[in-house]
Amino acid sequence: MMEVVIVAVAATLGNLLIGWDSSTIAGGITYIKQEFNLEEDPTLEGLIVSMSFITGTIVTIFSGTISDLVGRRPMLVAASIMYFFSGLVILWAPSVVVVLVSRMLVGVGNSLAVTLTPLYISETAPADIRGQLTTLTQFACSSGMFLAYILVFSMSFMYSPNWRIMLGVISILSVAYFLLAMFYLPESPRWLVSKGRIHEAEKVLQRLRGAEDVSGELALLAEGLSPGGEATSLEEYVVAPASELLVNQEAAKDYIKLYGPNEEVTMVAQPVNGQGSFASRSMLSQQGSFASQAAAGLKDPIVTLFGSLHENTLPESGGSRSMLIHNANSIFSTGDPPASPFGTSDNLRAPLMSFGGAAAEKAYGSKDMLGMRSTSSLRSNSSLVHGNAVGTPKSTNIGGGWQLVYKSADGAGDGKGEGLQRVYLHADPAAISHSQHVSFVSTSGYDIPIDDGEAFQAAALVSRSVLGTSDMLHMPEVVAKGPNWRGLLEPGVKRALIVGIGLQILQQAAGINGFLYYAPQILEEAGVGSLLSNLGISSTSASFLVNIITTFCMLPCIAISIRLMDIAGRRSIMLYTIPILIVCLLVLVLRELFNMSSVLNAAITAISVIVYESCFCMGFGVIPNIICAEIFPTSVRGICISMCSLTYWFCTLIITLTFPYLLQLLGLTGVFGLFVAGCIISWIFVYLKVPETKGMPLEVIIEFFAIGAKPGTDPATIGIKV
């Protein structure tokens, strides 16, 4: 997996340039105003700072859609080229007009990098570490800010600081970005699959995963081209030894065979149906009725739907017993855990299932690519003739404790896959990891420990499979033709857009860009220069030094966020960090009510700004982009990312254009008061509307949104067979 980490780090170089640009323009604007006499013209000053946002807003309208057509990597290459030319132009810059042209070019680069880097990383990273790798974008951005402020601070001691060099250095850094994007970064495997380029996607996955056998993930990516939508049901399965099922054959009407190492049916997964010894309470009913929870407040049922899964899979060390795996410990022996909850990659074998037919071969060129075999090799077992098992499926772990298995749909399979159903099966990895001696099934698509213990429960998302159907034949053609505007009307996509767009609006309402782009002026107005007056440092240099300290403090906070992103989760981090932002802003508001010395006032202001920016970057600064890159289907992901990013740039543009006027009209105290209101609204929105997506494959997240968006359906009983 080291390769995927290196690829993610290389991709984030564009975000480092975003941070570099934001800091250099924040420091350079002071000297630009002096050279072009802009002190009395706040409109032109705001235009210079915000020109990159104006350009970014326009470019974002098309960036996601174009990336769906030409790929993610070419867009990153284009971003590096824009950075290079923006630096060259600013090194010349004889007038304000040329400065604005440079800001337009850098705006194109910023727009492409900030929009597509999280998307690119989310599509290449495995589910288990996707949040950590995507958070690297914020670490790179803050690192760029830190390094740039060091440069600005050093140059501030010159008799006549050269702001052209401050802003022009970005050309040197952009060369490294271009070389990496052009010659090292692979194309997104999900994008390649959407275009029917399976051979290329396989090679990319083999490189990123460090394994020869990646056919399981290839099939998952193909399934993601056609989300189940309203056809998806949420079911609860009981995984039990086959001997128990043989005693209760009347209840065994719809199950999946799980083959042991001796190619015998050792375990079976059967939906809970309220009959026989396998009946048990559903996962959802154990968490209480979603409908009653929603009625008690305004929380979106989809938040509870996602939360139920994560609450059920808390490790025992966290003080919560898993409900999804009832009595699981009785199945396992003691000892050291295996390398992963379901075994190492050596246990993941290529074929996922068996089906024939020309559709799959025509669509993807070769039946062997996804482990397709002739149905003549279907397994049979006279003792289990009632089951709707798929022949010769192979095991596949798709990340986050999820497994992909297949079964025929109500016995309607015709041997060609037309009646095939995909089953995303989930059991608690924390409980399974207690086992040392584990025998893995070789033909079911679900790696589980084999023993003579009791049955345990597993949640499942069940919908019609796209593999082997006419949908698989036409899906690459549909994606290649252009934007899938009709897909935006799907209930799950509309629900996801509410979450994504809402987060982008409220991220800016919290006031971060006012801090980032005008922090030197804010600190200077607050009298930060008096803190260092005894050292002979000018107030301007002192404000730059405080920004160095601020950006340096961001880095360990973001490192903590990287560590927690796939443990505590995105939602939890936001809910805990936004209140800290509110406290910092309130301190900045209330300090005016007390008669403090200038030094104490400056110290409180500097500390509040540092804590605010550090905690913001830790949570609300990076998580909206992570979530937006996770919650949309492959077929409309580029369009939806463009819509969310367009919202971000539009709101950023409003903040940067109006901030100088707000400072003149309301003063610092009034502006901070507005940001307090924005943070409070943000916390309420996250609590009510934003689900937890940690550790879930993108395709599973999409299915959950589709389920939660079903109109007129009680979320407590969605798809549960009783």
Side-chain angles (χ1 to χ4, degrees), residues 344-359:
T344 65
S345 58
D346 294 337
N347 296 309
L348 306 181
R349 295 175 173 81
L352 291 173
M353 61 192 172
S354 296
F355 62 86

Side-chain angles (χ1 to χ4, degrees), residues 384-406:
L384 298 170
V385 294
H386 297 95
N388 293 322
V390 177
T392 63
K394 295 292 183 176
S395 60
T396 173
N397 184 339
I398 58 176
W402 290 88
Q403 304 290 318
L404 176 61
V405 296
Y406 290 86

Side-chain angles (χ1 to χ4, degrees), residues 14 16-22 24 80 82-88 90-91 102-103 106 110 151 164-177:
L16 185 144
L17 297 181
I18 294 174
W20 181 278
D21 173 71
S22 67
T24 52
S80 67
M82 292 298 102
Y83 283 126
F84 178 76
F85 283 107
S86 71
L88 292 183
I90 202 68
L91 284 172
S102 175
R103 299 302 299 160
V106 83
N110 286 344
L151 174 66
R164 290 176 177 83
I165 294 179
M166 288 184 190
L167 299 173
V169 172
I170 197 171
S171 287
I172 300 175
L173 302 175
S174 65
V175 173
Y177 186 33

Side-chain angles (χ1 to χ4, degrees), residues 365-666:
S366 172
K367 291 187 290 184
D368 295 333
M369 287 304 300
L370 294 180
M372 305 171 190
R373 295 181 181 178
S374 169
T375 55
S376 62
S377 64
L378 292 178
R379 296 182 180 273
S380 62
N381 188 301
S382 59
S383 300
L384 298 170
V385 294
H386 297 95
N388 293 322
V390 177
T392 63
K394 295 292 183 176
S395 60
T396 173
N397 184 339
I398 58 176
W402 290 88
Q403 304 290 318
L404 176 61
V405 296
Y406 290 86
K407 68 175 182 177
S408 297
D410 299 326
D414 58 3
K416 297 182 179 181
E418 294 295 336
L420 206 62
Q421 283 188 320
R422 62 179 177 235
V423 182
Y424 296 119
L425 202 62
H426 183 275
D428 184 4
I432 291 181
S433 65
H434 292 302
S435 174
Q436 176 186 26
H437 179 66
V438 180
S439 299
F440 295 92
V441 300
S442 59
T443 57
S444 69
Y446 184 43
D447 293 341
I448 60 170
I450 305 299
D451 205 336
D452 295 327
E454 301 178 12
F456 62 88
Q457 297 171 271
L461 288 171
V462 182
S463 60
R464 186 173 66 92
S465 172
V466 70
L467 300 182
T469 67
S470 58
D471 288 347
M472 185 179 181
L473 177 62
H474 298 297
M475 184 58 68
E477 299 176 5
V478 172
V479 177
K481 285 181 179 178
N484 180 21
W485 299 108
R486 185 174 300 178
L488 298 178
L489 302 178
E490 295 293 331
V493 175
K494 290 191 290 186
R495 183 69 64 88
L497 280 172
I498 293 174
V499 173
I501 291 176
L503 284 174
Q504 297 294 353
I505 293 174
L506 294 171
Q507 181 193 59
Q508 296 308 305
I512 185 59
N513 274 297
F515 277 86
L516 293 181
Y517 286 87
Y518 293 93
Q521 295 183 40
I522 293 173
L523 294 171
E524 188 171 353
E525 183 176 331
V528 172
S530 61
L531 289 173
L532 302 172
S533 59
N534 294 332
L535 299 178
I537 299 177
S538 67
S539 60
T540 300
S541 297
S543 66
F544 292 153
L545 179 59
V546 172
N547 276 281
I548 291 176
I549 298 172
T550 300
T551 52
F552 177 77
C553 292
M554 289 180 186
L555 300 180
C557 291
I558 299 171
I560 294 174
S561 181
I562 293 174
R563 179 69 180 90
L564 296 178
M565 195 61 66
D566 291 311
I567 299 176
R570 296 85 157 116
R571 171 182 162 88
S572 296
I573 291 176
M574 286 192 291
L575 290 177
Y576 282 107
T577 55
I578 292 177
I580 300 177
L581 306 182
I582 296 174
V583 171
C584 292
L585 291 169
L586 286 175
V587 169
L588 292 173
V589 171
L590 298 177
R591 67 189 170 89
E592 298 291 338
L593 301 179
F594 300 93
N595 186 17
M596 296 181 292
S597 66
S598 59
V599 173
L600 181 59
N601 179 61
I604 292 176
T605 300
I607 292 173
S608 298
V609 169
I610 291 173
V611 174
Y612 174 92
E613 293 190 9
S614 299
C615 289
F616 190 96
C617 291
M618 181 180 180
F620 217 17
V622 64
I623 292 176
N625 285 338
I626 294 177
I627 292 179
C628 287
E630 294 176 330
I631 59 180
F632 301 113
T634 302
S635 60
V636 296
R637 185 171 290 133
I639 303 173
C640 294
I641 287 293
S642 286
M643 296 174 68
C644 293
S645 296
L646 179 62
T647 304
Y648 164 83
W649 285 105
F650 183 74
C651 294
T652 300
L653 177 62
I654 293 176
I655 293 294
T656 53
L657 281 175
T658 60
F659 196 83
Y661 292 101
L662 291 175
L663 281 177
Q664 290 182 355
L665 181 63
L666 303 176

Side-chain angles (χ1 to χ4, degrees), residues 70-101:
V70 304
R72 319 307 190 199
R73 189 175 67 90
M75 303 298 283
L76 299 181
V77 173
S80 67
I81 294 174
M82 292 298 102
Y83 283 126
F84 178 76
F85 283 107
S86 71
L88 292 183
V89 171
I90 202 68
L91 284 172
W92 173 48
S95 65
V96 174
V97 174
V98 179
V99 173
L100 292 175
V101 171

Side-chain angles (χ1 to χ4, degrees), residues 4 7 44 174 184 215 217 246 259 398 489 526 587 599 639 665 678:
V4 73
V7 166
L44 196 53
S174 65
Y184 180 73
S215 59
E217 192 166 355
L246 298 180
Y259 292 88
I398 58 176
L489 302 178
V587 169
V599 173
I639 303 173
L665 181 63

